[in-house]
Structure formats: structure tokens, C-alpha cells
């Protein structure tokens, strides 16, 4: 009887030991079992850098960081004395060109024509007087009464008076007939050139007021009022929260045949684990220098990482760029 009791106790002890070993082994397996890899990404949104074509000084801002703006809203005013000076210069050049064009097309005024006629008549009278003096001096010279020098002086004065009369007549005819066709065409071309220069300056004036290219939120503002900004330097960033997508970096052995158009379900911890549906719209391998993995670590090939982008099926309220998204169904 005593032997049976000892045998029974031994069996119970061995069974208990086996149970303990199995329990410890199972617990160790459960604890050491590798967890399935987690795929997570982050939200991104379209960003627009607001910059100007001309350098200047920030006069004032019309929107602060975090403020909602709409497409076409004026965001920044830039002060540029150089552009204003160019506008004044272009306006003056246009006025001059217009005056030259009007003069070339309409001809001289009546007062100018009358003045040119009077000068011509005076020159003709002077020519007539010098002609008579020349004729008298020539007769005396032929009679050997006056020396040759005196005769030459009179002849030179007569020729000068005749030339002056011809020049006065030409000026009178020009005043009556107006400018030549070439001069009129040149005057018109100068007006066109002045108008083009003025249009260019006016286009620069439009760049003094920078507007929002889309609806969104002011996510960054770089200079301060009064600071100088260069040509093309960013002044503000507008983030379009209606154009949001999620980017995931997924190792190729975890893609599981993922293709463009496939559905994914994610949860967003920052929005109280809000679950939403995404659709893949972009898959591309990342640069090898940033995603290389040793062959022996994962198998018989180098594992590469792919960039996967997915867009939400519907608008997500409260989403902001940088929020994490964890894939729960793929």
C-alpha cells in the first residue's frame, strides 16, 4: 500500500513538472514570438511657396500663420521704389513719344508755318539785295574799277544769301507738307515701344501685391515686416488641406502584391485612432543608397524599400501634415 502511494505521488510530481515545463515553454514562445511588422506613414499636403518676381521691402502682411485663406486673397504688400521710379520714367517716355507721333502725323501748326514763311521771305529779300550788289560789283570789276578781293567778297555774300534762301524755302515746304513717311513710321514705332515698356512696368506693379494661389492655411511666414526680400525668395507657405495624401515606406517583402488602386485601411492616433479608407495612387522604389539592406539579413536578395502614396476616400476633418497613419488592413 505504501509502495502504491509513492508511485502515485511520483506520477503526480512528474505530471506537474511536465505541465510546468510546457507552460513555461508556451509562455516563452508567446513572449518571444515576433510581432507582425507595423506599416505606418504620415500625412502630407500640397504646399505653395509665395514669392515675388521683384525685390523689395515687406510693407505689410494681410494674413498670419494658421489663418485660413482663399484663392486670390492678397497676402503681402511689397514696397519697391525702383519700380515706382521706372513707372514714372516709362510714363514720361510715352508722353514724349505721343507728342512726336502727333507732330509727325498732323504736321506743323499754323503759327510754325507762318513763321517759316516769314523767314523764307526775309531770306529772299536778302538774296535779292545781295544779287543786285553782286551785279553792280561785277560790272565795276569788269571795268577794272574795284580789286578782285572786293569782288570775291561780294560774290561769296551773294552765294551765302542764295543758300540761306533755299534753306528757308525747304523749311517752309517741310512745315507745309509735314514729315516724310519714314519719319511718321518711326514716330509710330516709338509710341509702340513706349507702350510696351509701360506695360512691362505695370506687370511689375502687380507683383507688389502677392496673392494666394489656392484655398488653404498659412503654414509658415518667413521674413518680418520691413525686411528686404530678393527676387524669387519665399515669403509665405500656403498649405492646401483639401489636397492631402499619405506616404508609406514599405519594404518589398511586405508589399504583398500591392498595386495602384488597391484599398488600405489606416488609423490615425492623433485623431483618436480615427479609421479611414485610402486608395493607393503611386508606387515607386526609393533610392538604393537610402534603402539598401544586407543580403544575409533578409534572405538571398537585397531588400529594397518602396514609396507608396495613398489618398483618402473622403475628406478627413482635422488632418494636418505630419500626422502618423498606421495600416490595420491591407
Amino acid at each position: 500500500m505504501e509502495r502504491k502511494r509513492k508511485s502515485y505521488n511520483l506520477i503526480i510530481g512528474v505530471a506537474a513538472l511536465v505541465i510546468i515545463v510546457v507552460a513555461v515553454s508556451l509562455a516563452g514562445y508567446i513572449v518571444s514570438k515576433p510581432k507582425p511588422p507595423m506599416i505606418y506613414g504620415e500625412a502630407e499636403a500640397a504646399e505653395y511657396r509665395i514669392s515675388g518676381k521683384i525685390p523689395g521691402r515687406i510693407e505689410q502682411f494681410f494674413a498670419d500663420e494658421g489663418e485660413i485663406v482663399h484663392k486670390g486673397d492678397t497676402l503681402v504688400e511689397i514696397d519697391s521704389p525702383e519700380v515706382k521710379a521706372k513707372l514714372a520714367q516709362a510714363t514720361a517716355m510715352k508722353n514724349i513719344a505721343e507728342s512726336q507721333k502727333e507732330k509727325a502725323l498732323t504736321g506743323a501748326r499754323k503759327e510754325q508755318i507762318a513763321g517759316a514763311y516769314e523767314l523764307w521771305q526775309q531770306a529772299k529779300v536778302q538774296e535779292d539785295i545781295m544779287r543786285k550788289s553782286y551785279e553792280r560789283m561785277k560790272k565795276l570789276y569788269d571795268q577794272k574799277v574795284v580789286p578782285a578781293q572786293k569782288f570775291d567778297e561780294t560774290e561769296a555774300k551773294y552765294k551765302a544769301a542764295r543758300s540761306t534762301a533755299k534753306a528757308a524755302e525747304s523749311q517752309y515746304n517741310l512745315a507745309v507738307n509735314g514729315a516724310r513717311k519714314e519719319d511718321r513710321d518711326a514716330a509710330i514705332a516709338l509710341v509702340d515701344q513706349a507702350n510696351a515698356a509701360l506695360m512691362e512696368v505695370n506687370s511689375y506693379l502687380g507683383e507688389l501685391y502677392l496673392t494666394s494661389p489656392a484655398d488653404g492655411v498659412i503654414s509658415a511666414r518667413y521674413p518680418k515686416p520691413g525686411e528686404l526680400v530678393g527676387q524669387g525668395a519665399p515669403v509665405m507657405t500656403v498649405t492646401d488641406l483639401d489636397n492631402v495624401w499619405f506616404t508609406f515606406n514599405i519594404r518589398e517583402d511586405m508589399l504583398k502584391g500591392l498595386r495602384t488602386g488597391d484599398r488600405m485601411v489606416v488609423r490615425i492616433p492623433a485623431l483618436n485612432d480615427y479609421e479611414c479608407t485610402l486608395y493607393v495612387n503611386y508606387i515607386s522604389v526609393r533610392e538604393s543608397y537610402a534603402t539598401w539592406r544586407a543580403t544575409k539579413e533578409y534572405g538571398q536578395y537585397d531588400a529594397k524599400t518602396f514609396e507608396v502614396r495613398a489618398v483618402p476616400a473622403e475628406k478627413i476633418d482635422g488632418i494636418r501634415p505630419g500626422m502618423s497613419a498606421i495600416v490595420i488592413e491591407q
Side-chain angles (χ1 to χ4, degrees):
M1 191 70 181
E2 185 67 24
R3 178 181 292 180
K4 288 183 179 181
R5 185 179 301 145
K6 289 182 179 180
S7 297
Y8 178 75
N9 291 337
L10 180 61
I11 292 172
I12 292 176
V14 171
L17 180 61
V18 170
I19 292 172
I20 293 173
V21 170
V22 171
V24 171
S25 300
L26 183 61
Y29 173 76
I30 293 174
V31 172
S32 62
K33 181 181 179 181
K35 296 182 180 180
M38 180 183 298
I39 299 176
Y40 68 94
E42 66 178 29
E44 297 185 26
E47 293 184 343
Y48 300 90
R49 294 291 182 94
I50 310 300
S51 59
K53 293 182 180 179
I54 59 174
R57 192 178 300 276
I58 299 296
E59 183 70 16
Q60 60 179 325
F61 287 106
F62 297 101
D64 297 323
E65 289 183 342
E67 186 174 339
I68 301 296
V69 296
H70 301 285
K71 182 178 181 179
D73 287 352
T74 302
L75 303 180
V76 186
E77 179 185 358
I78 299 177
D79 180 35
S80 178
E82 294 82 3
V83 172
K84 295 178 181 178
K86 286 184 179 295
L87 175 62
Q89 182 181 4
T91 303
M93 293 301 296
K94 180 184 177 182
N95 293 335
I96 294 173
E98 290 283 359
S99 299
Q100 293 293 334
K101 175 185 175 182
E102 182 179 359
K103 181 178 179 181
L105 295 180
T106 61
R109 295 181 300 177
K110 293 181 179 180
E111 294 82 357
Q112 291 175 318
I113 295 175
Y117 180 77
E118 291 297 331
L119 290 176
W120 178 35
Q121 296 304 311
Q122 292 178 12
K124 285 178 64 178
V125 171
Q126 186 67 25
E127 179 191 9
D128 187 60
I129 293 174
M130 293 307 302
R131 181 181 57 79
K132 292 178 180 179
S133 297
Y134 168 74
E135 290 176 352
R136 288 195 298 267
M137 188 63 64
K138 189 175 186 307
K139 291 179 180 179
L140 294 175
Y141 175 73
D142 291 340
Q143 296 173 4
K144 308 297 182 180
V145 177
V146 294
Q149 181 179 357
K150 191 70 174 177
F151 172 72
D152 292 340
E153 291 176 357
T154 304
E155 184 180 20
K157 290 180 181 179
Y158 168 61
K159 290 181 178 179
R162 187 171 58 185
S163 298
T164 301
K166 288 183 179 179
E169 182 182 8
S170 298
Q171 291 297 322
Y172 170 71
N173 292 331
L174 179 62
V176 173
N177 298 326
R180 296 182 303 175
K181 180 180 182 300
E182 294 82 355
D183 295 333
R184 293 195 295 268
D185 292 343
I188 295 174
L190 286 176
V191 172
D192 293 339
Q193 182 180 7
N195 285 329
L198 188 59
M199 289 177 60
E200 181 181 6
V201 176
N202 284 328
S203 68
Y204 291 150
L205 287 176
E207 292 297 326
L208 296 179
Y209 294 88
L210 306 183
T211 60
S212 176
D215 295 345
V217 61
I218 304 297
S219 55
R221 220 172 67 175
Y222 304 107
K224 296 179 176 60
E227 291 185 348
L228 290 172
V229 292
Q231 181 179 8
V235 178
M236 277 183 170
T237 297
V238 176
T239 301
D240 184 3
L241 297 180
D242 291 332
N243 188 5
V244 177
W245 66 91
F246 291 84
T247 300
F248 304 88
N249 293 319
I250 305 177
R251 205 171 61 229
E252 61 179 311
D253 56 343
M254 298 168 58
L255 285 175
K256 299 179 180 178
L258 191 67
R259 295 184 179 183
T260 301
D262 286 354
R263 174 177 171 273
M264 300 172 62
V265 179
V266 300
R267 62 181 178 88
I268 305 174
L271 299 179
N272 295 322
D273 287 336
Y274 174 80
E275 295 184 3
C276 63
T277 301
L278 310 178
Y279 289 96
V280 178
N281 67 341
Y282 176 87
I283 300 176
S284 178
V285 66
R286 297 295 301 272
E287 294 82 359
S288 59
Y289 67 85
T291 61
W292 179 85
R293 294 293 184 273
T295 302
K296 293 182 179 179
E297 185 177 352
Y298 294 105
Q300 300 302 318
Y301 60 93
D302 292 337
K304 294 182 179 291
T305 299
F306 282 75
E307 179 181 354
V308 177
R309 299 176 192 171
V311 294
E314 57 186 15
K315 184 177 179 180
I316 304 174
D317 292 333
I319 191 66
R320 288 293 185 273
M323 288 186 177
S324 298
I326 301 173
V327 177
I328 58 177
E329 182 180 338
Q330 178 182 345

